[in-house]
């Protein structure tokens, strides 16, 4: 059996095109402020890609770049300024922050109304309550869109999530529950991981270990969503060995070209939504 590839790149392109059309009808463009501290090469690439994607759909993006020695106060002062600036609709703090900075404190300083990453505790709580007033974190939101693109009934399916991070594992587990899946959240202390994974109709791999998920973890006909982005000396690898997923599963997302482009598309969508919420008549 050969699994079908879920083409995140194409799905994300369609979302961006539709956003571009909607944004072209606005009198003023939505605006996103990005905060980048330090010189982590991966973070610099992510921020460049986000800026480029914003410009392509007509969102104004401005990056505030700081050296790794930046103080917490400098970051908090900027965030307070951006919170008060009416023509900034979204604020994104690129993670990871330098080790001496308390990331939680910084993320909590972002106004929940401009928190387009959905990391503020208020938005996390609203997500649990299924409130439409939250911002859904971009990667989990993108994953659910990929699943919806299959036009399958997800009700009652067994979903196994590998990883319990605040950014991916926990929110995607929550969203899968909202899709009426039966959800198992696994992590580094889980026992019998491969057996649990083999029971998964939907397997979300978000552990950050290159090609960790092999045939023994995959139920025949499963839907495999590979969230991992692992830079190896020669290439970018997902958490799933693609060949094994192609041989065993029904659907699989590739790396690159699966979840990654959806994360950026959802950031654009959340920024557009922030603009609309802030400009309600
Ligand atoms: P994280 O390091 O915060 O969390 C990893 C999780 O995996 C932890 O909960 C840990 O318990 C679990 N884990 C680690 N080893 C395990 C093992 N052997 N067995 C079972 N569970 C294990 O990482 P994160 O921020 O959630 O990111 C996970 C991966 O997804 C990374 O590769 C990251 O680069 C990638 N990522 C991709 C996107 C995207 O847009 N595609 C976005 C965010 C993160």
């Amino acid at each position: 059996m050969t699994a079908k590839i879920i083409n995140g790149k194409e799905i994300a392109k369609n979302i961006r095109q539709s956003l571009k059309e909607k944004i072209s009808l606005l009198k003023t463009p939505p605006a996103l402020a990005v905060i980048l501290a330090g010189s982590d090469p991966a973070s610099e690439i992510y921020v460049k890609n986000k800026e480029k994607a914003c410009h392509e759909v007509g969102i104004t993006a401005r990056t505030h770049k700081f050296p790794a020695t930046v103080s917490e106060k400098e970051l908090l002062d900027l965030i307070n300024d951006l919170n008060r600036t009416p023509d900034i609709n979204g604020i994104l703090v690129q993670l990871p922050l330098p080790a001496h900075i308390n990331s939680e404190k910084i993320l909590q300083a972002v106004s929940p109304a401009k928190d387009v990453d959905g990391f503020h505790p208020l938005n996390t709580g609203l997500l649990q309550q299924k409130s439409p007033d939250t911002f859904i974190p971009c990667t989990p939101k993108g994953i659910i869109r990929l699943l919806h693109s299959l036009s399958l009934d997800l009700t009652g399916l067994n979903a196994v999530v590998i990883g319990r991070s605040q950014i991916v594992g926990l929110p995607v587990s929550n969203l899968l529950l909202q899709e009426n899946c039966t959800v198992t959240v696994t992590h580094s202390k889980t026992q019998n991981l491969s057996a649990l994974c083999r029971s998964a109709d939907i397997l979300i791999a978000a552990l950050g270990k290159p090609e960790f998920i092999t045939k023994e973890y995959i139920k025949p006909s499963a839907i495999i969503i590979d969230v991992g982005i692992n830079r190896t000396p020669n290439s970018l690898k997902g958490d799933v060995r693609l060949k094994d997923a192609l041989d065993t599963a029904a659907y699989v997302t590739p790396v690159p070209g699966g979840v990654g482009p959806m994360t950026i598309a959802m950031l654009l969508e959340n920024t557009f939504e922030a603009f609309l919420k802030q400009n309600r008549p």
Side-chain angles (χ1 to χ4, degrees), residues 111-143:
S111 159
K114 298 189 177 184
D115 171 37
V116 287
D117 254 341
F119 294 159
H120 191 284
L122 181 72
N123 285 322
T124 312
L126 289 173
L127 176 65
Q128 300 232 4
Q129 293 178 354
K130 301 193 211 171
S131 164
D133 291 330
T134 189
F135 289 104
I136 302 175
C138 303
T139 302
K141 189 179 187 187
I143 292 170

Side-chain angles (χ1 to χ4, degrees), residues 46 138-140 143 161-170 185-190 193 205-210 212-213 217 226-231 237-239 255 258-264:
Y46 291 145
C138 303
T139 302
I143 292 170
V161 178
I162 315 177
R164 55 177 164 182
S165 72
Q166 299 283 346
I167 295 174
V168 188
L170 285 183
V185 186
T186 68
H187 46 79
S188 56
K189 305 280 188 265
T190 297
L193 183 66
L207 65 160
K209 300 257 152 67
F212 184 95
I213 301 301
Y217 289 77
D226 188 354
V227 187
I229 300 181
N230 305 289
R231 283 165 214 284
K237 296 232 183 291
D239 286 347
V255 176
V259 175
M262 293 300 287
T263 298
I264 296 196

Side-chain angles (χ1 to χ4, degrees), residues 232-280:
T232 64
N234 299 323
S235 60
L236 207 63
K237 296 232 183 291
D239 286 347
V240 178
R241 190 184 290 164
L242 184 63
K243 185 187 173 309
D244 287 9
L246 284 171
D247 285 348
T248 316
Y251 297 95
V252 60
T253 61
V255 176
V259 175
M262 293 300 287
T263 298
I264 296 196
M266 294 302 103
L267 170 68
L268 305 175
E269 190 175 278
N270 281 356
T271 305
F272 177 61
E273 282 174 13
F275 175 93
L276 294 182
K277 283 179 192 169
Q278 290 159 32
N279 289 280
R280 267 185 202 139

Side-chain angles (χ1 to χ4, degrees), residues 4-9 11-12 15 138-161 168-169 171-183 200-205 221-227 249-254 258-259 262-263 266:
K4 291 198 179 78
I5 295 267
I6 307 175
N7 190 340
K9 198 171 165 188
I11 297 166
I15 293 169
C138 303
T139 302
K141 189 179 187 187
I143 292 170
I144 299 298
R145 279 305 165 78
L146 289 175
L147 292 173
H148 285 172
S149 77
L150 304 177
S151 300
L152 300 172
D153 184 5
L154 306 181
T155 300
L157 295 187
N158 283 333
V160 172
V161 178
V168 188
V172 82
S173 305
N174 218 312
L175 293 171
L176 287 164
L177 271 177
Q178 293 182 22
E179 296 291 326
N180 296 317
C181 292
T182 302
V183 182
D201 302 307
I202 300 173
L203 181 63
I204 313 282
S221 304
I223 303 167
I224 311 290
I225 306 288
D226 188 354
V227 187
Y251 297 95
V252 60
T253 61
V259 175
M262 293 300 287
T263 298
M266 294 302 103

